[in-house]
Amino acid sequence: MSVTTVHAYAAPAPKAPLEHTTVPRRPLGEHDVLIEIAYAGICHSDIHQVREEWGEGSFPMVPGHEIAGVVTATGPGVTRYATGDRVGVGCFVDSCRECADCRAGEEQYCTGGGAVMTYNGTGRDGEPTYGGYSTHIVVDENYVLRIPDGLALDVAAPLLCAGITLYSPLARGQAGPGKRVAIVGMGGLGHMGVQLAHAMGAEVTVLSRTLGKREEGLRLGADAFHATADPATFERLAGRFDLIVNTVSANLDLDAYLGLLGTGGTLVNVGAPENPMPVSAFSLIGGRRSLAGSMIGGIPETQEMLDFCARHGIGARIETITADRINEAYDRVVAGDVRYRFVVEAGSFAG
Ligand code: NAP
Ligand code: ZN
């Protein structure tokens, strides 16, 4: 079977509300799988891109890179997946496969032309890519993840971006017993970070604007929870952390947060705000501190993260909506009014 036209929700132009449309999906190639999407998460990156906060976008734009569903057909050469398998797709759907990064399983950093992003990108066939706010998607099997049986598809969808974006810097930063880790911002990414760092065995502190999410933060595994609106927080916690992961979607005073690192500590920035953030050299020199960045994770690491989540019973805390509520959900995400990830039921993309 080959699907050529599928239902989707798209922004027809920059900053425009999303609306029902149809988009083409290519016929199944040798190594392609057809996925019937069950759920698509709403990531703040979807909003940044629809609103062109990262630069010019490609329109119509069908966002969605937190995709969970079921394989309904496979190309003749597919060996990794079969009809009925529960699978996920994250932020990219192809890459050069030949550069050092691709060979190392870090396809997101592909230097052979860059990874093909799941949407707002151009496939290696020259066609625009359309994301997960859709009923079906066709993806090369090498860029598809297996969702373990223990994970429900709705709570698994956000793991494909929010989960891996926190898992990678936490695992690489050796979050574990004896490590003091702070997660800045408890939104979609941050609430995954709290659960993952706790499951890795680290001592976890949440730094949120207010104490409004404190109870939930502690339930998710935080050992401490502080309000960043209170200047005393920065005095009390000075020099405390080994690793800080900043998930905030807006500009922060990075110098203030670097001051919370102990000697040799690292602040990994994963938030991607529209504007540059200044840093004083002295915030880094004093205490030999590092400021780093991290982007999602490669295919092997994403599978490792999904298996880790299944083993530890970790999923996203979600609010499930239908497609007609996406525009309202975008405004609520920007306003910080989401506990903690919106997930769209994909059947509702049909209109
Ligand atoms: P989100 O659900 O909106 O969460 C962001 C959190 O940041 C909010 O819940 C809030 O936490 C805090 N925040 C928001 N505005 C703030 C402000 N003006 N000042 C201080 N804190 C503020 O967004 P998300 O989906 O988790 O994404 C977060 C960021 O990561 C976005 O910029 C997104 O594009 C980026 N991202 C990066 C990667 C990557 O690979 N590096 C991957 C995915 C997303 P509190 O209410 O707790 O303060
Ligand atoms: Zn994302």
Side-chain angles (χ1 to χ4, degrees):
M1 186 184 85
S2 76
V3 172
T4 52
T5 300
V6 302
H7 294 283
Y9 262 61
K15 301 185 175 66
L18 279 77
E19 57 185 38
H20 176 263
T21 188
T22 57
V23 291
R25 297 294 188 197
R26 64 174 182 258
L28 288 190
E30 182 77 10
H31 288 285
D32 283 340
V33 299
L34 172 64
I35 299 166
E36 183 176 344
I37 300 174
Y39 298 96
I42 294 180
C43 177
H44 206 120
S45 302
D46 299 344
I47 303 170
H48 288 308
Q49 290 178 84
V50 163
R51 299 187 176 175
E52 289 198 326
E53 290 167 356
W54 292 350
E56 200 178 320
S58 159
F59 292 87
M61 188 186 294
V62 177
H65 59 208
E66 295 186 335
I67 300 168
V70 175
V71 173
T72 53
T74 55
V78 169
T79 57
R80 299 162 78 114
Y81 297 102
T83 297
D85 284 356
R86 301 161 76 254
V87 294
V89 178
C91 296
F92 57 91
V93 288
D94 208 345
S95 65
C96 86
R97 310 173 191 214
E98 283 164 9
C99 73
D101 290 289
C102 283
R103 283 203 308 267
E106 299 213 81
E107 303 88 347
Q108 76 277 29
Y109 302 127
C110 172
T111 51
V116 174
M117 303 319 276
T118 303
Y119 68 88
N120 196 19
T122 304
R124 296 210 292 163
D125 56 4
E127 296 297 322
T129 56
Y130 298 112
Y133 296 5
S134 176
T135 53
H136 301 79
I137 191 168
V138 173
V139 183
D140 184 297
E141 63 172 331
N142 294 298
Y143 295 82
V144 172
L145 289 307
R146 186 175 296 283
I147 296 180
D149 284 340
L151 282 175
L153 292 180
D154 54 357
V155 303
L159 302 179
L160 277 304
C161 174
I164 184 59
T165 299
L166 271 290
Y167 182 88
S168 184
L170 289 169
R172 286 169 198 276
Q174 287 158 349
K179 286 284 172 88
R180 290 169 167 174
V181 174
I183 305 291
V184 187
M186 204 172 97
L189 267 56
H191 95 289
M192 291 311 311
V194 175
Q195 299 182 72
L196 291 164
H198 173 69
M200 290 173 185
E203 181 191 297
V204 187
T205 298
V206 178
L207 302 173
S208 186
R209 285 169 293 181
T210 69
L211 295 178
K213 301 172 182 173
R214 183 171 178 276
E215 232 167 81
E216 185 71 14
L218 297 177
R219 250 201 310 275
L220 291 174
D223 300 285
F225 196 108
H226 295 276
T228 54
D230 178 0
T233 292
F234 291 88
E235 289 163 27
R236 214 178 301 133
L237 300 178
R240 178 164 182 90
F241 301 107
D242 302 301
L243 177 65
I244 299 176
V245 184
N246 173 30
T247 75
V248 173
S249 49
N251 280 29
L252 277 192
D253 175 359
L254 288 179
D255 294 316
Y257 288 85
L258 286 166
L260 304 183
L261 289 172
T263 304
T266 301
L267 189 161
V268 183
N269 192 84
V270 299
E274 181 175 5
N275 298 309
M277 289 186 278
V279 179
S280 162
F282 294 98
S283 302
L284 299 169
I285 295 171
R288 203 193 331 114
R289 298 178 178 117
S290 300
L291 175 59
S294 183
M295 185 171 77
I296 45 176
I299 294 293
E301 193 174 31
T302 304
Q303 189 62 59
E304 179 185 306
M305 175 276 307
L306 288 167
D307 297 343
F308 179 90
C309 286
R311 261 197 325 277
H312 291 272
I314 293 175
R317 294 290 194 275
I318 58 169
E319 183 174 336
T320 307
I321 60 169
T322 46
D324 55 323
R325 294 183 55 207
I326 288 175
N327 297 305
E328 173 198 334
Y330 274 25
D331 291 338
R332 285 183 53 196
V333 170
V334 172
D337 177 24
V338 51
R339 301 287 189 276
Y340 285 88
R341 200 55 142 187
F342 284 111
V343 168
V344 188
E345 203 189 308
S348 67
F349 291 123

